[in-house]
Amino acid sequence: MKKLLFWLFFILLVVAAFIYGNMPKIAPYYKQLTKPRVGLNLDLQPKEQKEAHFVGSGKCKECHKEHYHDWKASMHSKMIQVIAKDPKAVVADFSRLPEDADFTLKEAVYTIGGKFKQRYMIPATINGKSDFRLGNYQWNSQTKKWQHFKPYKYWYHDSYPHDNKQFPTSTTCDGCHFTGFMATGKRVEPAIACENCHGPGSKHAEDPNSPVFKASLVDPIRTNEVCFQCHMRNRDKRIETEHATAKELWMTATDYPKGYAPGKPLISYKLPAPFAPGKETKEFWANGAAKKNRTQGNEYIHDRMYQHGITCINCHDPHKLTNTAQKPQGNAACMKCHSFGSIIGPHQDTLEQHTHHKAGSKGSLCIECHMPKTGRHTGKSPLTVRSHRFSFTYPAQTKAYGMPPETNACFACHKDKTLDQLQDDLKKWGNLEWEKLESPHIR
Ligand code: HEC
Ligand code: HEC
Ligand code: HEC
Ligand code: HEC
Ligand code: HEC
Ligand code: HEC
Ligand code: HEC
Ligand code: HEC
């Protein structure tokens, strides 16, 4: 009897191990992907947090050293830097600053960014209030050149005077670059810190049992909102709620979801930059891929991964910010969920069968085909911004949408061929769906 039980148990164990070993890699995400959706309009900020105020990352550091350390080493902590405190934050060559520049290094208080481009904040009184303005030149870190900067050239060009000295950063930039400014209008801390994603933390810091918002606890569609508040281009919400025109928003047009704090329903504060499939705009190509930076959210909401509950933080550690363009994790970043012949694809049995390139070839890197470079950081920057619209864009689609050929993944590496020839290659491989064989299914 004992022996029989032992063998029964042994067989069960083998079967369990076999099932476990053959589970699709996506299985551990089952709980996340099946979480009930609560609706975009529901306020998820913990009640206790509503009374709290912003305290700054120094306070959080006292108890969360590891998270603080990871965040401090990331680009989020370096977005705004105080020049007086750290002169090395300036990456530009000020000895080459053009003569008609309307600012000097001495006048500049903060640097903005630096990885792709750097801009400078200069104290100014605008509209009778003490504010900041932006220099009329920006440093392009990619081309190592100064170039003109006209911040009023965006959707709000009718809302502000066409003069950098009269153009305030408070309504047009600071909500996304300082901590606390979006929610309270106060620059609690320069750069993007803990409370931009976790909400005000004074009550939690006093009593750790008092909750702060943690995005991963809510439904996955809502999880993304902590990133969407900044990584998604928008319009002033009043254009929708009050039918205001840019002119009517004179000196007040706001380019971030003012009043939003993590957990609150972002939809009540944000009007995303408009896009309709098939129609090219200043910000998007006709297939929905971005022409500019900070459009990750606008693109990602078109993707099936988004719709089925995959979130920004499934691919990016929210504190370290890996994966980034500087530290690509290669195919491992995708293969932690995907596997060949699995339910979510790729639906071929090997890498080479899926990509039709040698396994070690650049042409076998997932992001090269599924995240082609479609955007630029400035009009004069190289094409480096990778699309977060992961579904593959065929050469025939690139052509039919009227997109420049270099935004097509295949063409980016095969500039000696035409889009038509590349489409034919795919046809020969048999890698086309019915609808994409002749007509590139658009509009
Ligand atoms: C006095 C120490 C202390 C301070 C200061 C502190 N925390 Fe915490 N925090 C804790 C402890 C302890 C926990 C674990 C509590 C628990 O598991 O319920 C925690 C948990 C958290 C969590 C996870 C919450 C969850 O629901 O899983 C987050 C996020 C967090 N803290 C963020 C912050 C932020 C942001 C700050 C700064 C505004 C901060 N903490 C300041 C002690 C502190
Ligand atoms: C860019 C947004 C962002 C910033 C900035 C940020 N966090 Fe988080 N943090 C998150 C998200 C999202 C999660 C949930 C991650 C998860 O569950 O995988 C999280 C989780 C946590 C947790 C809980 C960890 C756990 O295992 O449950 C703590 C504690 C925490 N953060 C503290 C901090 C502190 C302290 C800072 C500042 C030094 C900070 N965070 C900055 C987005 C952010
Ligand atoms: C308050 C605004 C804000 C929020 C919230 C925010 N970001 Fe960012 N993020 C930025 C800015 C600004 C930069 C550019 C930083 C720089 O260049 O110094 C950036 C940069 C990044 C980068 C590139 C880092 C690098 O090394 O190049 C990644 C990845 C990223 N964010 C992911 C996220 C994710 C994921 C979330 C949500 C969990 C998030 N961000 C939330 C504003 C924000
Ligand atoms: C809605 C939020 C938002 C607003 C408003 C905003 N930014 Fe940003 N900005 C971001 C995010 C997010 C990034 C990083 C992600 C990316 O570049 O794709 C970024 C990147 C940048 C960078 C490049 C950083 C680097 O390291 O190269 C600069 C410079 C910059 N912003 C300046 C500005 C200025 C100046 C304004 C105002 C005229 C402004 N931004 C308004 C969210 C915003
Ligand atoms: C399926 C995985 C995946 C998802 C989901 C995803 N990203 Fe990314 N993201 C990547 C990869 C991979 C890269 C780096 C590409 C490279 O190495 O060039 C990247 C790059 C970035 C960058 C850096 C861009 C640059 O030019 O340096 C930012 C910012 C970013 N992602 C933000 C986001 C935000 C915000 C979301 C949610 C809306 C998001 N990502 C969702 C995989 C993902
Ligand atoms: C040489 C270009 C190329 C590379 C590299 C590539 N793919 Fe694809 N992928 C495609 C094409 C073409 C399709 C078919 C798209 C369609 O039917 O619309 C596709 C489709 C998919 C699909 C949809 C399901 C399916 O099987 O049709 C998934 C998932 C996918 N790829 C994941 C990946 C992953 C993960 C990697 C990296 C291991 C990768 N791809 C590398 C070209 C590529
Ligand atoms: C956290 C898990 C996860 C990661 C990481 C992940 N995926 Fe996915 N992906 C999914 C799921 C789940 C689906 C299925 C969605 C569906 O079929 O509706 C999917 C579907 C896709 C599709 C087909 C649907 C579409 O919208 O085009 C492509 C292409 C794809 N993934 C590419 C990638 C690439 C490239 C990476 C790496 C940069 C990646 N995925 C990383 C979970 C993931
Ligand atoms: C990141 C670069 C890259 C991308 C993206 C890429 N390829 Fe390639 N391709 C290569 C390289 C390198 C080779 C040569 C060796 C190899 O990998 O097989 C190659 C070889 C080929 C070949 C065989 C030799 C030739 O030139 O006739 C064809 C056909 C081809 N690619 C078509 C495509 C198509 C179609 C796409 C889009 C689905 C594509 N490639 C995407 C880099 C790329």
Side-chain angles (χ1 to χ4, degrees):
M1 188 65 191
K2 254 191 186 163
K3 246 188 186 165
L4 195 74
L5 265 176
F6 171 81
W7 281 109
L8 216 67
F9 180 74
F10 182 76
I11 291 165
L12 261 169
L13 206 74
V14 171
V15 169
F18 180 80
I19 293 173
Y20 185 78
N22 282 286
M23 261 200 322
K25 281 194 197 159
I26 191 68
Y29 295 88
Y30 188 80
K31 227 174 145 189
Q32 174 185 331
L33 298 180
T34 53
K35 240 184 220 171
R37 303 283 157 86
V38 297
L40 288 181
N41 56 350
L42 209 70
D43 188 345
L44 301 168
Q45 187 181 44
K47 277 194 198 70
E48 295 86 338
Q49 204 174 1
K50 295 204 179 294
E51 315 292 316
H53 58 266
F54 285 78
V55 291
S57 60
K59 194 74 201 161
C60 316
K61 185 186 177 186
E62 289 172 15
C63 304
H64 298 291
K65 291 210 169 48
E66 212 169 298
H67 290 97
Y68 181 90
H69 177 81
D70 288 346
W71 163 79
K72 192 74 190 164
S74 82
M75 294 296 284
H76 275 164
S77 76
K78 303 184 183 84
M79 184 54 181
I80 299 284
Q81 297 186 74
V82 187
I83 299 173
K85 236 165 99 186
D86 186 9
K88 280 205 294 290
V90 177
V91 296
D93 180 356
F94 268 83
S95 71
R96 277 160 53 200
L97 182 67
E99 282 197 345
D100 59 339
D102 68 2
F103 68 111
T104 61
L105 179 56
K106 255 200 181 138
E107 284 172 288
V109 169
Y110 296 121
T111 58
I112 313 180
K115 183 170 173 180
F116 301 100
K117 63 205 180 210
Q118 193 165 62
R119 295 168 181 166
Y120 303 91
M121 283 172 72
I122 299 134
T125 303
I126 300 173
N127 230 359
K129 279 187 297 207
S130 80
D131 210 310
F132 288 90
R133 69 173 181 94
L134 296 155
N136 64 344
Y137 278 93
Q138 61 182 324
W139 177 257
N140 189 325
S141 313
Q142 297 184 283
T143 60
K144 305 259 178 282
K145 280 187 184 135
W146 285 104
Q147 64 190 54
H148 282 291
F149 180 46
K150 295 177 181 155
Y152 43 79
K153 265 184 33 184
Y154 300 99
W155 63 267
Y156 44 59
H157 56 83
D158 288 339
S159 313
Y160 291 100
H162 292 188
D163 172 5
N164 282 36
K165 292 196 165 162
Q166 289 303 314
F167 181 90
T169 65
S170 58
T171 43
T172 56
C173 318
D174 300 351
C176 299
H177 298 165
F178 286 83
T179 303
F181 200 81
M182 192 177 293
T184 67
K186 289 196 195 94
R187 295 182 190 83
V188 176
E189 186 176 354
I192 293 104
C194 322
E195 290 162 295
N196 273 351
C197 297
H198 292 296
S202 62
K203 292 204 111 183
H204 169 77
E206 266 168 35
D207 171 12
N209 291 318
S210 183
V212 281
F213 181 71
K214 187 166 98 170
S216 53
L217 291 180
V218 300
D219 95 57
I221 295 285
R222 297 292 304 275
T223 301
N224 293 311
E225 290 183 3
V226 298
C227 315
F228 285 0
Q229 61 173 308
C230 301
H231 286 271
M232 186 192 227
R233 289 201 177 236
N234 29 220
R235 298 289 183 269
D236 193 306
K237 187 72 183 172
R238 288 172 294 174
I239 293 174
E240 183 187 282
T241 54
E242 298 168 20
H243 304 288
T245 61
K247 240 196 191 113
E248 284 161 0
L249 300 174
W250 183 251
M251 296 306 280
T252 66
T254 305
D255 199 17
Y256 53 83
K258 184 176 168 182
Y260 169 81
K264 288 189 178 176
L266 183 61
I267 201 168
S268 308
Y269 304 87
K270 193 166 190 110
L271 174 62
F275 173 74
K279 286 225 174 70
E280 184 184 338
T281 67
K282 279 194 171 166
E283 290 145 312
F284 309 105
W285 301 111
N287 75 341
K291 291 178 168 177
K292 300 185 168 215
N293 66 317
R294 72 152 144 112
T295 37
Q296 291 86 11
N298 307 73
E299 295 182 292
Y300 191 50
I301 55 171
H302 300 302
D303 198 78
R304 280 221 304 279
M305 279 197 273
Y306 164 80
Q307 284 145 9
H308 282 184
I310 300 299
T311 64
C312 309
I313 59 169
N314 285 144
C315 293
H316 298 284
D317 180 309
H319 304 115
K320 295 183 181 154
L321 296 187
T322 47
N323 207 324
T324 72
Q326 271 173 354
K327 300 178 215 95
Q329 289 161 11
N331 287 357
C334 312
M335 297 309 278
K336 73 178 193 191
C337 298
H338 288 276
S339 45
F340 294 100
S342 71
I343 186 164
I344 62 165
H347 291 99
Q348 287 81 13
D349 282 338
T350 65
L351 177 65
E352 294 191 355
Q353 278 170 18
H354 179 66
T355 67
H356 296 269
H357 286 75
K358 297 186 189 95
S361 164
K362 274 196 156 181
S364 274
L365 285 173
C366 316
I367 64 167
E368 295 293 349
C369 280
H370 289 284
M371 301 180 76
K373 294 169 182 169
T374 62
R376 299 172 197 278
H377 269 269
T378 77
K380 291 180 178 165
S381 300
L383 203 62
T384 54
V385 178
R386 281 193 192 275
S387 176
H388 275 69
R389 202 188 148 277
F390 293 88
S391 88
F392 181 78
T393 300
Y394 285 90
Q397 290 176 317
T398 301
K399 193 173 158 185
Y401 282 125
M403 297 163 65
E406 59 271 25
T407 61
N408 180 265
C410 310
F411 186 86
C413 291
H414 296 286
K415 296 213 169 67
D416 55 329
K417 293 193 181 187
T418 64
L419 290 174
D420 291 335
Q421 285 169 332
L422 288 161
Q423 182 77 4
D424 280 345
D425 286 341
L426 277 155
K427 211 187 256 182
K428 274 183 222 137
W429 294 344
N431 256 28
L432 288 178
E433 298 294 337
W434 287 107
E435 77 212 69
K436 290 158 192 156
L437 271 171
E438 300 304 337
S439 68
H441 107 119
I442 52 163
R443 268 157 253 227

